Amino acid sequence: MADGHQHPIEHRFNPYAENGGTVLAIAGADFAVIAGDTRQTEGYSIQTRYAPKVFKLTDRAVLAVNGFQADCSEFVKRVMQRIEWYRHAHSKQMPLKAIARMIQTMLYGKRFFPYYTYNILGGIEEDGTGAVYSFDPVGSYEREACRAAGAASSLIQPFLDNQIYFKNQTPAPGAAPFVPGNLPIDVVLPIVIDSFTSATERHIEVGDGLEMFVVVAKGRDVSQLASLNAEEIPATNPGEERVFIVRRELKKD
Amino acid sequence: MSIMDYNGGSVLAMKGKNCVAIASDLRLGNQAMTVAMNFEKVFPVTDCLYLGLAGLASDVITLRERFRYRVNMYTIKEERQIEPATFAQLVSSTLYEKRFGPYFVEPVIAGISKKTGEPFIAATDVIGCLNFAKDFVVCGTASDKLFGVAEGLWEPDLEPEDLFETISQTLMNAVDRDAFSGWGAIVHVITPEKVITRTLKARMD
């Protein structure tokens, strides 16, 4: 030994990795946008330029999951299975708030060997309002108007505080007060795209591609989505909520 | 915990159309405890050149005095005011002198050249490696947040009043997400004619 003392060398297996990427979700009055980039990294290496981390769960719920990719895919698999069991047992799709509570119990169930995942659930509530639920890795959760998570969350969240929650802004004298969570979709989607292009510019683990899922309430006009090259994901129950996906390229350097 | 985060604080500079702006928060902390809410981190060098210093507070004060001395010596010897680009080299060489025992400070420089009227911003790391950005430079404990918001809000060729709004919103929204920065803010907008200094009504928590 270099220091002249005998001591055992410990080797320990680390069951976790950190695979970069970033996700965010924003709620509107009757829609929700859930977005994530598609780059997957380990250290300074890019493992793939297309690894989706946003998943449609039901016709009214979309889950964005970020952190350790192996835990992410395992967790999404289990959530989807529980949602299918619910559909078989109750002959209806699981409501959003029920999915949120279920995710909490599933995450807390592994309190002492957690899934290393940051989850953001977005969609439409039973009353037809857009909703975003954000979770920590052990299941602490909250309903919010917007949330960013993952590698570039520290870059994006203060930007969303400003643009979605109108933090540090005052309405003009006599103007109506700002209400978070009521922005129209043609304002929200450019904010999402700007957030990801900004994060791509300054964070090495963010880039390659952007997938934005838009969940719209029953009967809502979707003409604004047509100009955005939105692709509809076929619904299990036609005539209810609808899910669209909008794809954009991000810088690959 | 890093020595760079011991006292907290953040500085930001942005370029506009024939103008520049530089801003800082006002917090001085001792780890998580806030000690003062009037600790300015931006100092005038000449009438149209400002220097921001974020990092270890004792080194902020040491370097402020050291630059005051070296700029005074330059002004006397050369019988003229120092140019922003020249001052950036002075900052760089002063920090690199201490290459193996650095000052724990990241400086930000913002000014307008008296000769050409060109706006100038620059930043360095702790050992004086210069970064001449054409948009904005950030440093301090909220630097990642500042990068994110600035990248989203900044655009080229802002007029002084719009630049003031952009830098103020960037700084306030970034420091509101940082536990080690905040507790008030100060902004200087430098134009060829005058310098507009405003203290912002920011969150105090």
Side-chain angles (χ1 to χ4, degrees), chain A residues 147 154-155 157-159 161-163 167-169 198 201-202, chain B residues 135-136 144-145 147-149 151-153 169 172-173 176-177:
Chain A
R147 175 59 67 183
S154 63
L155 284 77
Q157 190 63 55
F159 180 64
D161 289 343
N162 188 221
Q163 299 293 310
K167 289 283 169 68
N168 294 111
Q169 289 193 266
S198 296
E201 203 65 43
R202 297 287 177 175
Chain B
D135 42 12
F136 52 84
D144 50 348
K145 289 119 184 156
F147 269 130
V149 189
E151 198 66 61
L153 296 183
Q169 287 293 322
M172 284 193 290
N173 289 289
D176 285 353
R177 280 279 173 184

PDB file of all heavy atoms in Angstrom, chain A residues 147 154-155 157-159 161-163 167-169 198 201-202, chain B residues 135-136 144-145 147-149 151-153 169 172-173 176-177:
ATOM      1  N   ARG A 147     -44.586  22.285 -14.991  1.00  0.00           N
ATOM      2  CA  ARG A 147     -43.422  21.715 -14.298  1.00  0.00           C
ATOM      3  C   ARG A 147     -42.374  21.261 -15.304  1.00  0.00           C
ATOM      4  O   ARG A 147     -42.713  20.716 -16.345  1.00  0.00           O
ATOM      5  CB  ARG A 147     -43.864  20.523 -13.428  1.00  0.00           C
ATOM      6  CG  ARG A 147     -42.753  19.752 -12.752  1.00  0.00           C
ATOM      7  CD  ARG A 147     -41.906  20.591 -11.839  1.00  0.00           C
ATOM      8  NE  ARG A 147     -42.608  21.064 -10.663  1.00  0.00           N
ATOM      9  CZ  ARG A 147     -42.066  21.873  -9.748  1.00  0.00           C
ATOM     10  NH1 ARG A 147     -40.834  22.267  -9.861  1.00  0.00           N
ATOM     11  NH2 ARG A 147     -42.778  22.270  -8.734  1.00  0.00           N
ATOM     12  N   SER A 154     -33.317  23.009 -14.140  1.00  0.00           N
ATOM     13  CA  SER A 154     -32.911  24.276 -13.526  1.00  0.00           C
ATOM     14  C   SER A 154     -32.843  25.405 -14.557  1.00  0.00           C
ATOM     15  O   SER A 154     -32.949  26.573 -14.202  1.00  0.00           O
ATOM     16  CB  SER A 154     -31.571  24.126 -12.811  1.00  0.00           C
ATOM     17  OG  SER A 154     -30.553  23.797 -13.722  1.00  0.00           O
ATOM     18  N   LEU A 155     -32.665  25.052 -15.845  1.00  0.00           N
ATOM     19  CA  LEU A 155     -32.676  26.077 -16.883  1.00  0.00           C
ATOM     20  C   LEU A 155     -34.102  26.460 -17.262  1.00  0.00           C
ATOM     21  O   LEU A 155     -34.403  27.625 -17.518  1.00  0.00           O
ATOM     22  CB  LEU A 155     -31.928  25.582 -18.141  1.00  0.00           C
ATOM     23  CG  LEU A 155     -30.393  25.562 -18.100  1.00  0.00           C
ATOM     24  CD1 LEU A 155     -29.873  24.375 -17.308  1.00  0.00           C
ATOM     25  CD2 LEU A 155     -29.809  25.541 -19.488  1.00  0.00           C
ATOM     26  N   GLN A 157     -37.259  25.642 -15.562  1.00  0.00           N
ATOM     27  CA  GLN A 157     -38.292  25.971 -14.577  1.00  0.00           C
ATOM     28  C   GLN A 157     -38.406  27.475 -14.309  1.00  0.00           C
ATOM     29  O   GLN A 157     -39.524  27.998 -14.301  1.00  0.00           O
ATOM     30  CB  GLN A 157     -38.077  25.188 -13.273  1.00  0.00           C
ATOM     31  CG  GLN A 157     -39.232  25.291 -12.289  1.00  0.00           C
ATOM     32  CD  GLN A 157     -40.524  24.705 -12.820  1.00  0.00           C
ATOM     33  OE1 GLN A 157     -40.566  23.556 -13.228  1.00  0.00           O
ATOM     34  NE2 GLN A 157     -41.603  25.481 -12.824  1.00  0.00           N
ATOM     35  N   PRO A 158     -37.295  28.229 -14.110  1.00  0.00           N
ATOM     36  CA  PRO A 158     -37.468  29.674 -13.898  1.00  0.00           C
ATOM     37  C   PRO A 158     -38.057  30.400 -15.102  1.00  0.00           C
ATOM     38  O   PRO A 158     -38.762  31.396 -14.941  1.00  0.00           O
ATOM     39  CB  PRO A 158     -36.051  30.174 -13.587  1.00  0.00           C
ATOM     40  CG  PRO A 158     -35.137  29.095 -13.963  1.00  0.00           C
ATOM     41  CD  PRO A 158     -35.894  27.822 -13.940  1.00  0.00           C
ATOM     42  N   PHE A 159     -37.799  29.879 -16.298  1.00  0.00           N
ATOM     43  CA  PHE A 159     -38.391  30.450 -17.516  1.00  0.00           C
ATOM     44  C   PHE A 159     -39.903  30.219 -17.523  1.00  0.00           C
ATOM     45  O   PHE A 159     -40.692  31.114 -17.850  1.00  0.00           O
ATOM     46  CB  PHE A 159     -37.726  29.818 -18.744  1.00  0.00           C
ATOM     47  CG  PHE A 159     -38.241  30.322 -20.073  1.00  0.00           C
ATOM     48  CD1 PHE A 159     -38.080  31.643 -20.442  1.00  0.00           C
ATOM     49  CD2 PHE A 159     -38.886  29.466 -20.951  1.00  0.00           C
ATOM     50  CE1 PHE A 159     -38.550  32.116 -21.659  1.00  0.00           C
ATOM     51  CE2 PHE A 159     -39.365  29.920 -22.172  1.00  0.00           C
ATOM     52  CZ  PHE A 159     -39.199  31.245 -22.524  1.00  0.00           C
ATOM     53  N   ASP A 161     -41.717  29.730 -14.787  1.00  0.00           N
ATOM     54  CA  ASP A 161     -42.244  30.578 -13.705  1.00  0.00           C
ATOM     55  C   ASP A 161     -42.639  31.929 -14.286  1.00  0.00           C
ATOM     56  O   ASP A 161     -43.684  32.493 -13.941  1.00  0.00           O
ATOM     57  CB  ASP A 161     -41.186  30.809 -12.620  1.00  0.00           C
ATOM     58  CG  ASP A 161     -40.894  29.574 -11.794  1.00  0.00           C
ATOM     59  OD1 ASP A 161     -41.706  28.631 -11.829  1.00  0.00           O
ATOM     60  OD2 ASP A 161     -39.852  29.557 -11.114  1.00  0.00           O
ATOM     61  N   ASN A 162     -41.782  32.467 -15.152  1.00  0.00           N
ATOM     62  CA  ASN A 162     -41.995  33.774 -15.755  1.00  0.00           C
ATOM     63  C   ASN A 162     -43.107  33.746 -16.803  1.00  0.00           C
ATOM     64  O   ASN A 162     -43.993  34.603 -16.804  1.00  0.00           O
ATOM     65  CB  ASN A 162     -40.672  34.238 -16.391  1.00  0.00           C
ATOM     66  CG  ASN A 162     -40.746  35.674 -16.876  1.00  0.00           C
ATOM     67  OD1 ASN A 162     -40.244  36.005 -17.947  1.00  0.00           O
ATOM     68  ND2 ASN A 162     -41.352  36.544 -16.098  1.00  0.00           N
ATOM     69  N   GLN A 163     -43.091  32.750 -17.709  1.00  0.00           N
ATOM     70  CA  GLN A 163     -43.987  32.756 -18.852  1.00  0.00           C
ATOM     71  C   GLN A 163     -45.342  32.106 -18.575  1.00  0.00           C
ATOM     72  O   GLN A 163     -46.327  32.459 -19.214  1.00  0.00           O
ATOM     73  CB  GLN A 163     -43.321  32.034 -20.039  1.00  0.00           C
ATOM     74  CG  GLN A 163     -42.036  32.687 -20.495  1.00  0.00           C
ATOM     75  CD  GLN A 163     -42.274  34.062 -21.109  1.00  0.00           C
ATOM     76  OE1 GLN A 163     -43.122  34.216 -21.977  1.00  0.00           O
ATOM     77  NE2 GLN A 163     -41.541  35.055 -20.636  1.00  0.00           N
ATOM     78  N   LYS A 167     -44.603  35.132 -13.039  1.00  0.00           N
ATOM     79  CA  LYS A 167     -43.839  35.609 -11.879  1.00  0.00           C
ATOM     80  C   LYS A 167     -43.033  36.839 -12.273  1.00  0.00           C
ATOM     81  O   LYS A 167     -42.481  36.917 -13.382  1.00  0.00           O
ATOM     82  CB  LYS A 167     -42.894  34.519 -11.381  1.00  0.00           C
ATOM     83  CG  LYS A 167     -43.594  33.353 -10.707  1.00  0.00           C
ATOM     84  CD  LYS A 167     -44.032  33.701  -9.287  1.00  0.00           C
ATOM     85  CE  LYS A 167     -44.964  32.660  -8.696  1.00  0.00           C
ATOM     86  NZ  LYS A 167     -44.299  31.378  -8.441  1.00  0.00           N
ATOM     87  N   ASN A 168     -42.934  37.812 -11.347  1.00  0.00           N
ATOM     88  CA  ASN A 168     -42.228  39.079 -11.540  1.00  0.00           C
ATOM     89  C   ASN A 168     -42.850  39.928 -12.646  1.00  0.00           C
ATOM     90  O   ASN A 168     -42.186  40.795 -13.212  1.00  0.00           O
ATOM     91  CB  ASN A 168     -40.731  38.864 -11.822  1.00  0.00           C
ATOM     92  CG  ASN A 168     -40.011  38.270 -10.635  1.00  0.00           C
ATOM     93  OD1 ASN A 168     -39.578  37.130 -10.668  1.00  0.00           O
ATOM     94  ND2 ASN A 168     -39.897  39.031  -9.573  1.00  0.00           N
ATOM     95  N   GLN A 169     -44.102  39.649 -12.995  1.00  0.00           N
ATOM     96  CA  GLN A 169     -44.801  40.484 -13.969  1.00  0.00           C
ATOM     97  C   GLN A 169     -46.043  41.078 -13.290  1.00  0.00           C
ATOM     98  O   GLN A 169     -46.665  40.424 -12.463  1.00  0.00           O
ATOM     99  CB  GLN A 169     -45.233  39.661 -15.182  1.00  0.00           C
ATOM    100  CG  GLN A 169     -44.072  39.248 -16.058  1.00  0.00           C
ATOM    101  CD  GLN A 169     -44.554  38.729 -17.401  1.00  0.00           C
ATOM    102  OE1 GLN A 169     -44.742  37.530 -17.601  1.00  0.00           O
ATOM    103  NE2 GLN A 169     -44.772  39.637 -18.327  1.00  0.00           N
ATOM    104  N   SER A 198     -33.721  26.492 -26.004  1.00  0.00           N
ATOM    105  CA  SER A 198     -32.817  27.151 -25.047  1.00  0.00           C
ATOM    106  C   SER A 198     -32.008  26.118 -24.275  1.00  0.00           C
ATOM    107  O   SER A 198     -30.791  26.257 -24.131  1.00  0.00           O
ATOM    108  CB  SER A 198     -33.619  28.000 -24.057  1.00  0.00           C
ATOM    109  OG  SER A 198     -34.286  29.043 -24.711  1.00  0.00           O
ATOM    110  N   GLU A 201     -29.340  24.556 -26.367  1.00  0.00           N
ATOM    111  CA  GLU A 201     -28.221  25.469 -26.584  1.00  0.00           C
ATOM    112  C   GLU A 201     -27.196  25.394 -25.451  1.00  0.00           C
ATOM    113  O   GLU A 201     -26.000  25.472 -25.687  1.00  0.00           O
ATOM    114  CB  GLU A 201     -28.779  26.886 -26.695  1.00  0.00           C
ATOM    115  CG  GLU A 201     -27.928  27.881 -27.420  1.00  0.00           C
ATOM    116  CD  GLU A 201     -27.748  27.565 -28.892  1.00  0.00           C
ATOM    117  OE1 GLU A 201     -28.722  27.193 -29.572  1.00  0.00           O
ATOM    118  OE2 GLU A 201     -26.604  27.700 -29.353  1.00  0.00           O
ATOM    119  N   ARG A 202     -27.678  25.259 -24.203  1.00  0.00           N
ATOM    120  CA  ARG A 202     -26.793  25.398 -23.036  1.00  0.00           C
ATOM    121  C   ARG A 202     -26.581  24.110 -22.249  1.00  0.00           C
ATOM    122  O   ARG A 202     -25.836  24.123 -21.275  1.00  0.00           O
ATOM    123  CB  ARG A 202     -27.340  26.476 -22.100  1.00  0.00           C
ATOM    124  CG  ARG A 202     -27.386  27.863 -22.687  1.00  0.00           C
ATOM    125  CD  ARG A 202     -26.002  28.468 -22.809  1.00  0.00           C
ATOM    126  NE  ARG A 202     -26.070  29.786 -23.443  1.00  0.00           N
ATOM    127  CZ  ARG A 202     -25.035  30.602 -23.597  1.00  0.00           C
ATOM    128  NH1 ARG A 202     -23.848  30.268 -23.138  1.00  0.00           N
ATOM    129  NH2 ARG A 202     -25.176  31.751 -24.201  1.00  0.00           N
TER     130      ARG A 202
ATOM    131  N   ASP B 135     -23.897  37.915 -26.898  1.00  0.00           N
ATOM    132  CA  ASP B 135     -25.261  38.070 -26.402  1.00  0.00           C
ATOM    133  C   ASP B 135     -25.299  38.428 -24.913  1.00  0.00           C
ATOM    134  O   ASP B 135     -25.612  39.538 -24.540  1.00  0.00           O
ATOM    135  CB  ASP B 135     -26.080  36.816 -26.695  1.00  0.00           C
ATOM    136  CG  ASP B 135     -25.304  35.517 -26.437  1.00  0.00           C
ATOM    137  OD1 ASP B 135     -24.227  35.576 -25.824  1.00  0.00           O
ATOM    138  OD2 ASP B 135     -25.797  34.446 -26.834  1.00  0.00           O
ATOM    139  N   PHE B 136     -24.938  37.452 -24.053  1.00  0.00           N
ATOM    140  CA  PHE B 136     -24.977  37.703 -22.608  1.00  0.00           C
ATOM    141  C   PHE B 136     -23.961  36.824 -21.902  1.00  0.00           C
ATOM    142  O   PHE B 136     -23.534  35.803 -22.452  1.00  0.00           O
ATOM    143  CB  PHE B 136     -26.378  37.441 -22.044  1.00  0.00           C
ATOM    144  CG  PHE B 136     -26.930  36.088 -22.404  1.00  0.00           C
ATOM    145  CD1 PHE B 136     -26.608  34.963 -21.674  1.00  0.00           C
ATOM    146  CD2 PHE B 136     -27.772  35.942 -23.500  1.00  0.00           C
ATOM    147  CE1 PHE B 136     -27.115  33.712 -22.015  1.00  0.00           C
ATOM    148  CE2 PHE B 136     -28.285  34.693 -23.845  1.00  0.00           C
ATOM    149  CZ  PHE B 136     -27.949  33.583 -23.100  1.00  0.00           C
ATOM    150  N   ASP B 144     -26.779  28.517 -13.798  1.00  0.00           N
ATOM    151  CA  ASP B 144     -27.536  27.620 -14.691  1.00  0.00           C
ATOM    152  C   ASP B 144     -28.940  28.158 -14.961  1.00  0.00           C
ATOM    153  O   ASP B 144     -29.419  28.131 -16.092  1.00  0.00           O
ATOM    154  CB  ASP B 144     -27.576  26.188 -14.132  1.00  0.00           C
ATOM    155  CG  ASP B 144     -28.009  26.125 -12.673  1.00  0.00           C
ATOM    156  OD1 ASP B 144     -28.052  27.186 -12.023  1.00  0.00           O
ATOM    157  OD2 ASP B 144     -28.299  25.020 -12.190  1.00  0.00           O
ATOM    158  N   LYS B 145     -29.577  28.695 -13.895  1.00  0.00           N
ATOM    159  CA  LYS B 145     -30.912  29.290 -14.073  1.00  0.00           C
ATOM    160  C   LYS B 145     -30.830  30.504 -14.985  1.00  0.00           C
ATOM    161  O   LYS B 145     -31.688  30.702 -15.855  1.00  0.00           O
ATOM    162  CB  LYS B 145     -31.505  29.694 -12.727  1.00  0.00           C
ATOM    163  CG  LYS B 145     -31.923  28.513 -11.860  1.00  0.00           C
ATOM    164  CD  LYS B 145     -31.161  28.474 -10.553  1.00  0.00           C
ATOM    165  CE  LYS B 145     -31.499  27.261  -9.741  1.00  0.00           C
ATOM    166  NZ  LYS B 145     -30.398  26.921  -8.807  1.00  0.00           N
ATOM    167  N   PHE B 147     -28.656  31.142 -17.328  1.00  0.00           N
ATOM    168  CA  PHE B 147     -28.478  30.679 -18.716  1.00  0.00           C
ATOM    169  C   PHE B 147     -29.812  30.308 -19.337  1.00  0.00           C
ATOM    170  O   PHE B 147     -30.118  30.710 -20.467  1.00  0.00           O
ATOM    171  CB  PHE B 147     -27.545  29.467 -18.761  1.00  0.00           C
ATOM    172  CG  PHE B 147     -26.096  29.807 -18.938  1.00  0.00           C
ATOM    173  CD1 PHE B 147     -25.138  29.275 -18.105  1.00  0.00           C
ATOM    174  CD2 PHE B 147     -25.689  30.652 -19.967  1.00  0.00           C
ATOM    175  CE1 PHE B 147     -23.793  29.587 -18.270  1.00  0.00           C
ATOM    176  CE2 PHE B 147     -24.351  30.963 -20.143  1.00  0.00           C
ATOM    177  CZ  PHE B 147     -23.403  30.426 -19.287  1.00  0.00           C
ATOM    178  N   GLY B 148     -30.626  29.544 -18.613  1.00  0.00           N
ATOM    179  CA  GLY B 148     -31.912  29.089 -19.140  1.00  0.00           C
ATOM    180  C   GLY B 148     -32.854  30.231 -19.457  1.00  0.00           C
ATOM    181  O   GLY B 148     -33.418  30.297 -20.546  1.00  0.00           O
ATOM    182  N   VAL B 149     -33.011  31.166 -18.510  1.00  0.00           N
ATOM    183  CA  VAL B 149     -33.960  32.271 -18.725  1.00  0.00           C
ATOM    184  C   VAL B 149     -33.417  33.232 -19.787  1.00  0.00           C
ATOM    185  O   VAL B 149     -34.162  33.655 -20.678  1.00  0.00           O
ATOM    186  CB  VAL B 149     -34.254  33.025 -17.407  1.00  0.00           C
ATOM    187  CG1 VAL B 149     -35.386  34.014 -17.614  1.00  0.00           C
ATOM    188  CG2 VAL B 149     -34.621  32.062 -16.304  1.00  0.00           C
ATOM    189  N   GLU B 151     -31.388  32.687 -22.238  1.00  0.00           N
ATOM    190  CA  GLU B 151     -31.473  32.059 -23.565  1.00  0.00           C
ATOM    191  C   GLU B 151     -32.898  32.150 -24.109  1.00  0.00           C
ATOM    192  O   GLU B 151     -33.094  32.243 -25.324  1.00  0.00           O
ATOM    193  CB  GLU B 151     -31.024  30.604 -23.458  1.00  0.00           C
ATOM    194  CG  GLU B 151     -30.648  29.920 -24.752  1.00  0.00           C
ATOM    195  CD  GLU B 151     -29.413  30.483 -25.421  1.00  0.00           C
ATOM    196  OE1 GLU B 151     -28.322  30.452 -24.814  1.00  0.00           O
ATOM    197  OE2 GLU B 151     -29.536  30.956 -26.553  1.00  0.00           O
ATOM    198  N   GLY B 152     -33.880  32.158 -23.224  1.00  0.00           N
ATOM    199  CA  GLY B 152     -35.270  32.262 -23.653  1.00  0.00           C
ATOM    200  C   GLY B 152     -35.758  33.681 -23.887  1.00  0.00           C
ATOM    201  O   GLY B 152     -36.613  33.914 -24.737  1.00  0.00           O
ATOM    202  N   LEU B 153     -35.230  34.661 -23.129  1.00  0.00           N
ATOM    203  CA  LEU B 153     -35.765  36.029 -23.205  1.00  0.00           C
ATOM    204  C   LEU B 153     -34.949  36.966 -24.091  1.00  0.00           C
ATOM    205  O   LEU B 153     -35.492  37.890 -24.685  1.00  0.00           O
ATOM    206  CB  LEU B 153     -35.868  36.646 -21.803  1.00  0.00           C
ATOM    207  CG  LEU B 153     -36.820  35.996 -20.800  1.00  0.00           C
ATOM    208  CD1 LEU B 153     -36.824  36.789 -19.499  1.00  0.00           C
ATOM    209  CD2 LEU B 153     -38.229  35.903 -21.347  1.00  0.00           C
ATOM    210  N   GLN B 169     -35.951  40.922 -15.787  1.00  0.00           N
ATOM    211  CA  GLN B 169     -36.772  39.724 -15.718  1.00  0.00           C
ATOM    212  C   GLN B 169     -35.904  38.475 -15.633  1.00  0.00           C
ATOM    213  O   GLN B 169     -36.201  37.543 -14.866  1.00  0.00           O
ATOM    214  CB  GLN B 169     -37.692  39.632 -16.949  1.00  0.00           C
ATOM    215  CG  GLN B 169     -38.836  40.614 -16.939  1.00  0.00           C
ATOM    216  CD  GLN B 169     -39.844  40.332 -15.836  1.00  0.00           C
ATOM    217  OE1 GLN B 169     -40.143  39.181 -15.537  1.00  0.00           O
ATOM    218  NE2 GLN B 169     -40.340  41.379 -15.206  1.00  0.00           N
ATOM    219  N   MET B 172     -34.331  38.371 -11.982  1.00  0.00           N
ATOM    220  CA  MET B 172     -35.296  38.113 -10.898  1.00  0.00           C
ATOM    221  C   MET B 172     -35.840  36.694 -10.950  1.00  0.00           C
ATOM    222  O   MET B 172     -35.918  36.017  -9.924  1.00  0.00           O
ATOM    223  CB  MET B 172     -36.436  39.133 -10.949  1.00  0.00           C
ATOM    224  CG  MET B 172     -36.017  40.491 -10.426  1.00  0.00           C
ATOM    225  SD  MET B 172     -37.412  41.585 -10.123  1.00  0.00           S
ATOM    226  CE  MET B 172     -37.945  41.916 -11.774  1.00  0.00           C
ATOM    227  N   ASN B 173     -36.219  36.235 -12.154  1.00  0.00           N
ATOM    228  CA  ASN B 173     -36.789  34.886 -12.238  1.00  0.00           C
ATOM    229  C   ASN B 173     -35.749  33.806 -11.966  1.00  0.00           C
ATOM    230  O   ASN B 173     -36.082  32.749 -11.441  1.00  0.00           O
ATOM    231  CB  ASN B 173     -37.468  34.684 -13.589  1.00  0.00           C
ATOM    232  CG  ASN B 173     -38.740  35.494 -13.689  1.00  0.00           C
ATOM    233  OD1 ASN B 173     -39.721  35.193 -13.039  1.00  0.00           O
ATOM    234  ND2 ASN B 173     -38.697  36.550 -14.469  1.00  0.00           N
ATOM    235  N   ASP B 176     -34.966  33.868  -8.051  1.00  0.00           N
ATOM    236  CA  ASP B 176     -36.100  33.386  -7.257  1.00  0.00           C
ATOM    237  C   ASP B 176     -36.091  31.862  -7.140  1.00  0.00           C
ATOM    238  O   ASP B 176     -36.771  31.303  -6.276  1.00  0.00           O
ATOM    239  CB  ASP B 176     -37.426  33.854  -7.869  1.00  0.00           C
ATOM    240  CG  ASP B 176     -37.676  35.334  -7.596  1.00  0.00           C
ATOM    241  OD1 ASP B 176     -36.894  35.936  -6.829  1.00  0.00           O
ATOM    242  OD2 ASP B 176     -38.635  35.888  -8.159  1.00  0.00           O
ATOM    243  N   ARG B 177     -35.378  31.165  -8.023  1.00  0.00           N
ATOM    244  CA  ARG B 177     -35.244  29.707  -7.941  1.00  0.00           C
ATOM    245  C   ARG B 177     -33.908  29.298  -7.324  1.00  0.00           C
ATOM    246  O   ARG B 177     -33.544  28.127  -7.357  1.00  0.00           O
ATOM    247  CB  ARG B 177     -35.376  29.087  -9.336  1.00  0.00           C
ATOM    248  CG  ARG B 177     -36.808  28.945  -9.811  1.00  0.00           C
ATOM    249  CD  ARG B 177     -37.472  27.716  -9.228  1.00  0.00           C
ATOM    250  NE  ARG B 177     -38.892  27.677  -9.563  1.00  0.00           N
ATOM    251  CZ  ARG B 177     -39.743  26.763  -9.127  1.00  0.00           C
ATOM    252  NH1 ARG B 177     -39.316  25.789  -8.345  1.00  0.00           N
ATOM    253  NH2 ARG B 177     -41.003  26.800  -9.462  1.00  0.00           N
TER     254      ARG B 177
END
